[in-house]
Amino acid sequence: MKGICGWAGELPDPSNTIRAMASEFAEPDIVVGRQGALACGSKGDAVSVQGVIAAISGHPGFLEPRLNAYAKENGIANALVRAYLEQGESVFKLISGPFSAAILDERNATALLAVDRSGIGTMSYAVAGGSLVFGASLDSINRHPAIKPEINRQAIYDYVYFHMIPGPETIYNGQYRLLPGECLVFGKGGARVGAYWEMHFDEGQRRPFDELKGEFLGTLRQAVQDAAQGAKTGAFLSGGTDSSTIAGMLGEVTGAPARTYSIGFEAEGYDEMEYARIAANRFGTDHHEYYVTPDDVASAIPRIAAAYDQPFGNSSAVPTYYCAKLAREDGMERLLGGDGGDELFGGNSRYAKQRIFSLYGNIPRLLRKSVIEPVAFGMPGAIPPVMKLRSYIEQASIPMPARLETYNLLERLGPGNVFTSGFLVGVDASNPVRLLGEIYDKAHAKTLINRMLALDLKFTLADNDLPKVVKTCHLAGVDIRFPLLADEVVAFSSRLDPELKLKGTKLRYFFKEALRGFLPDEIITKRKHGFGLPFGEWLKNDGRLQELGRDSLNSLKQRDIIRPEFVDDLFRLHSESHSGYYGTMVWVLMMLEQWFRHHLD
């Protein structure tokens, strides 16, 4: 595993403690000081210079050429120390690319932690006994003698709601995770967390399309070239616009056919291999395919639950793992992923849907309240057009961002029908929507599309998709890079006219038009899909999955979290209803129980 762990504060037996914390790291580089210790795994870089201990992991660079030149000669951690001695707490503003970093300044008993602007690198922390304990994983933190892990019930609730635990909270009370672009400073006054970088949307720029296209394609090609350097590199290929673009550009910048990897399913409505093959043929890639089976899923579930340091319920982690495993077995050291394109350029279908709902608010309130709504709700409800109008008005009247969760399964079922009454004591059922509102309201944007993008950069990308891909790639033994999240590409997106991201209801308008002629037309016009897992479909008929699901949920009954009656009814609801709807709830609860088994029991 890659990453950093350590602590700031005195400890009687520092050498053994830091080795225990770093036990999950490959090739840990350990530095022990008088007032703390650091470990950096998987060929990371850790040094001690002039009373400053520093470690940095990932693929960082510096915005100043002189620091990059110094890093090439002396190592990235030495360059980090040099920049810190010059800039102090502002040092992380000078770093680009994916990274996590820690600095222990023994001269003034100060510690600094930070992660990159997109949250590709991870850093969790806790303050206990006057010490700051930190690590890339919560498992590392919990090996420190000052830490006594205690389950956070609110985090379990939020997990069932979101299918992951949104940061900065974690599954443990008192343990937190840095958000993208955040820095923590720890000293005599305790710990304080702030943003050294935030996404600011410049919504007033209007530039010629051809000029924007040239800048975008040049920036993205450079990002792909940078991401492919230094390792034998292939690419995920789902057949969507992002992965197809990355695969095509990888072949261009390397001058050789890109090695691409795709996952398929023998399940109607889930298999997208056709589009992956279209892209592979277009770009002449050396293409490799694997069809995931129900047995593969059953075998992977315990491994994936054990690999995550807190419950994680995104089922597409399974096909992502098998795709990365396929690449590793083919000799790849690194994969390029297309994550970030939807959240930067407006590719999720909910963006168009919410724009339609937002139009209702543009109608004068007097007209809505005195004419439209009395007519709509005064007519017979059985008429289909009237039913659709009422549904539209009801949803459009819910303020953003709560409107995004009108179909949330937990909201529809009701928390009291899912959780035990004892578990819900002290749990705030409104917390998920409050978290969404905080990010939505503080977004540095005025337009609806950019505020939704800011929301998804946090909840969809940093909290969900990036942990999914990063962790499963590490589990499979391959490095992962995300060219679309290169700082220069992110900056380009922040300056792009909002109407070019969502033009009417046309998703990622600029991205697709800029790549028209490069990408096959079939991929530009296809509906978004990805590596969705047909778990709900397979659960209805596959005996091994049924056994694993029932065994997991029956064990979960004993933990006084989920109502036993709900568990008993869930499988019946799944068998009688749309397989994906209740199948998702089975998956989320099963992975919760599997996590408990591998991390607590």
Side-chain angles (χ1 to χ4, degrees), residues 179-201:
L179 301 183
E182 280 192 341
C183 170
L184 178 147
V185 180
F186 175 80
K188 294 180 181 178
R192 56 183 169 85
V193 177
Y196 70 86
W197 178 88
E198 292 180 292
M199 184 76 153
H200 287 258
F201 294 92

Side-chain angles (χ1 to χ4, degrees), residues 2-4 40-45 55-60 76 98-102 121:
K2 291 187 175 183
I4 294 170
C40 194
S42 291
K43 301 179 182 178
D45 204 356
I56 189 164
S57 178
H59 301 281
I76 190 73
F99 75 92
S100 58

Side-chain angles (χ1 to χ4, degrees), residues 122 124 136-139 142 151-152 155-156 159 163-173 175-177 304-314 462-463 467 471 591-592 594-596 599:
T122 59
S124 298
S137 79
L138 299 168
D139 297 335
N142 288 330
I151 291 296
N152 178 355
I156 293 178
Y159 162 78
H163 310 168
M164 51 74 184
I165 299 173
E169 295 293 325
T170 73
I171 189 62
Y172 300 108
N173 285 322
Q175 299 186 30
Y176 305 96
R177 181 164 60 88
I304 288 175
Y308 281 86
D309 60 351
Q310 59 182 355
F312 188 73
N314 186 336
D463 286 333
K471 185 66 72 174
M591 296 308 290
L592 176 61
Q594 288 289 321
W595 183 86
F596 275 125
H599 290 266

Side-chain angles (χ1 to χ4, degrees), residues 90-214:
S90 300
V91 61
F92 300 113
K93 294 179 180 180
L94 304 177
I95 304 177
S96 64
F99 75 92
S100 58
I103 299 173
L104 308 184
D105 190 339
E106 297 196 313
R107 304 170 306 169
N108 55 17
T110 300
L112 286 80
L113 309 176
V115 296
D116 61 81
R117 301 174 183 188
S118 295
I120 299 169
T122 59
M123 185 69 75
S124 298
Y125 65 92
V127 176
S131 295
L132 172 71
V133 185
F134 54 88
S137 79
L138 299 168
D139 297 335
S140 290
I141 293 175
N142 288 330
R143 295 189 186 103
H144 191 283
I147 301 300
K148 308 299 179 187
E150 178 184 273
I151 291 296
N152 178 355
R153 288 192 299 166
Q154 182 68 56
I156 293 178
Y157 181 92
D158 295 346
Y159 162 78
V160 176
Y161 191 98
F162 288 113
H163 310 168
M164 51 74 184
I165 299 173
E169 295 293 325
T170 73
I171 189 62
Y172 300 108
N173 285 322
Q175 299 186 30
Y176 305 96
R177 181 164 60 88
L178 289 182
L179 301 183
E182 280 192 341
C183 170
L184 178 147
V185 180
F186 175 80
K188 294 180 181 178
R192 56 183 169 85
V193 177
Y196 70 86
W197 178 88
E198 292 180 292
M199 184 76 153
H200 287 258
F201 294 92
D202 182 351
E203 301 181 323
Q205 288 200 23
R206 303 292 185 271
R207 294 167 56 194
F209 184 89
D210 288 343
E211 181 181 314
L212 288 169
K213 176 181 176 179

Side-chain angles (χ1 to χ4, degrees), residues 271-320:
D271 187 49
E272 290 283 291
M273 196 68 82
E274 171 191 356
Y275 292 100
R277 290 167 183 163
I278 289 172
N281 290 333
R282 174 61 169 264
F283 299 117
T285 73
D286 183 355
H287 189 54
H288 304 259
E289 300 175 354
Y290 182 78
Y291 273 76
V292 171
T293 68
D295 277 348
D296 288 330
V297 177
S299 298
I301 284 169
R303 294 195 66 192
I304 288 175
Y308 281 86
D309 60 351
Q310 59 182 355
F312 188 73
N314 186 336
S315 65
S316 61
V318 171
T320 304

Side-chain angles (χ1 to χ4, degrees), residues 373-497:
E373 292 176 15
V375 170
F377 290 94
M379 298 174 65
I383 303 173
V386 175
M387 294 172 64
K388 288 186 177 181
L389 177 60
R390 288 180 180 177
S391 176
Y392 172 81
I393 293 172
E394 288 170 351
Q395 291 189 67
S397 300
I398 299 172
M400 285 289 285
R403 191 165 69 220
L404 292 167
E405 298 299 325
T406 54
Y407 288 96
N408 185 284
L409 185 54
L410 183 55
E411 290 275 13
R412 294 208 155 200
L413 293 171
N417 294 318
V418 176
F419 295 99
T420 66
S421 57
F423 173 82
L424 287 174
V425 174
V427 169
D428 182 3
S430 66
N431 189 60
V433 172
R434 181 187 63 79
L435 295 175
L436 291 168
E438 285 180 358
I439 301 299
Y440 186 84
D441 291 341
K442 76 174 187 179
H444 299 286
K446 294 181 179 179
T447 60
L448 175 66
I449 178 60
N450 278 339
R451 295 178 82 177
M452 285 192 289
L453 293 183
L455 198 67
D456 275 347
L457 284 169
K458 197 274 183 190
F459 288 93
T460 302
L461 195 63
D463 286 333
N464 198 332
D465 287 346
L466 291 181
K468 174 193 73 178
V469 181
V470 170
K471 185 66 72 174
T472 52
C473 281
H474 288 174
L475 182 61
V478 293
D479 187 25
I480 178 68
R481 297 287 297 273
F482 304 99
L484 283 165
L485 293 176
D487 292 346
E488 297 79 7
V489 179
V490 173
F492 177 89
S493 166
S494 72
R495 301 188 299 267
L496 190 63
D497 180 356

Side-chain angles (χ1 to χ4, degrees), residues 518-583:
F518 179 77
L519 290 177
D521 288 343
E522 299 95 323
I523 287 176
I524 288 179
T525 57
K526 76 179 284 289
R527 293 182 63 185
K528 177 178 171 56
H529 193 273
F531 282 170
L533 182 72
F535 173 74
E537 289 284 342
W538 288 344
L539 183 63
K540 286 188 173 182
N541 303 304
D542 186 81
R544 189 176 174 190
L545 288 179
Q546 289 175 351
E547 181 181 358
L548 183 59
R550 289 185 182 278
D551 175 68
S552 297
L553 267 63
N554 284 334
S555 294
L556 190 61
K557 288 181 183 180
Q558 313 306 316
R559 300 187 188 275
D560 195 31
I561 297 173
I562 305 298
R563 294 177 64 245
E565 300 87 349
F566 176 74
V567 171
D568 294 339
D569 209 30
L570 185 56
F571 284 93
R572 180 189 61 78
L573 291 169
H574 171 257
S575 65
E576 297 175 354
S577 308
H578 186 277
S579 58
Y581 197 59
Y582 291 103

